[in-house]
Amino acid sequence: MTNTNYLIIGSGVAGLTFALRIAEQFPDKKVTIVTKANADESNTKYAQGGIAIVTDKNEDSYQKHIEDTLICGDGLCNESVVKMVVTEGPKRLKELIEWGAKFDKNSDGNLNLGKEGGHSENRVVHHKDQTGHEIERAILGQVYQKSNITVLDHHFATDLITAENYCLGAYVLDQKTQKISTYQSDITLLATGGIGILYGHTTNPAIATGDGIAMAYRANASIKEMEFIQFHPTAFYEATTGSKFLISEAVRGFGAYLRTKNGRRFMIDYDSREELASRDIVSQSIDLELKKSGDDCVYLDCSHLDIEAFKQHFPMIYNHCLKAGIDVTKDWIPVVPAQHYICGGIVVNTDGKTSVNNLFACGECSQTGLHGANRLASNSLLEALVYSSRIFEYLSNPALKTEIPNLTIPKYHSIEKPEIDADYLKTLKANLQQLMRQNAGIVRYETDLQNAKIQLLEWKSAIEKLGENHQLNSAYFELLNMITIGSLIVIQSIERKENKGGFVKFETPSFK
């Protein structure tokens, strides 16, 4: 058994910034970060757009940002949480800059602020079209300088250890040795990111399999609003499953047009904000257009833009398109909605506390009340930064007495068993992804959801039985977690009776 004071599961901006703060505050305490890939592989790394923060008080205001967030959340945001997150944003930006993160500036030396869908003003702080990568680089560099932080890459947390509604740590699989070890911790933080691989077509990296939410659910933590899934309107279209290259919303903020195959600018028909409507509206509009036409994708037209300025702002996007044979000076970019973000998750209070004692959650895996029924663009990195700081401030309060119950922690006993058929897991995963795309996608139908619920229960029973008689590996645990997440999404979609934000459900299909 390994003992640690703080066990952090996940290595995105949420987990890393908490680790850095707590390690600086308590240099004699041990901080352990568990991450199932390389330490820099996370949803944070793939965040292109930036961080929505009010920095220009002449043109912008906290109130405008608050109102934009509330409008996007379609009446389901917690207004006090929205105010807290928005007003704490500038402090968190200052910290990032102090840690070495670099953001684009204009000719006057001020931050070059972008504008994205749903925002009334330019307020998105960015580093070209690679903001998440830049933040991850800066923070990880600081983390590696701390002698009391241990980073365990290629380690997979399989389950939380709980007793009497306390979290006591986690079981962790070393993916190189295939051995599962017991990690006892005073405090455990889940910062495991999103669920995108459940849908196959996603802007998320391959690690986004909903592990933290699934583990928390098995630990009886409260899970809420899983039906609110955000689909990004403009992922680069390819006729394959797997992670998709994101064409940042900032490209539409820069002036790009969405067109059908025959060249019609269809967003004019759906919303007065046209291409800069919020993501739920743009995704639903594209979905409807594709169902009407039977086409595989729509197109993003950048040919009328200042191409030199485009290259400067979006070098990664420009080069990706060029490698795919698309010259944005004359060719339209094929795009299609892809799963991007989940607005629900593990319910936490304003200090990041879950309903399980000594268990905290932060970032995309948490449900804070900020996003409501639909996340406002570039509010996710902001939320992660604010909540990691809130958790740190709560736990570093000298008056806080963390209760560590004297409970026996069972060690994980490994027994040699036959290996699971990898092809079986691969096939079941593909079937699961297809089921979720067809039955729990952008627009859902009651009959499809009911059928999916039955199928998911059958698969869950089958894979649990498989696990009893075979050697367990990370592919098995990921698939178990994905089925668990799928069931939560479907059940909570059935339970919700009112269409809100990113959630649209009908009794019977109009286009099928």
Side-chain angles (χ1 to χ4, degrees), residues 183-207:
Y183 281 77
Q184 180 180 8
S185 61
D186 301 335
I187 298 294
T188 302
L189 172 66
L190 292 171
T192 52
I195 59 100
I197 297 303
L198 177 59
Y199 281 83
H201 293 298
T202 180
T203 62
N204 293 183
I207 58 168

Side-chain angles (χ1 to χ4, degrees), residues 2 4-7 167-170 183-188 404 409:
T2 301
T4 187
N5 299 108
Y6 302 96
L7 179 64
C167 182
L168 309 173
Y183 281 77
Q184 180 180 8
S185 61
D186 301 335
I187 298 294
T188 302
I404 312 297
I409 296 179

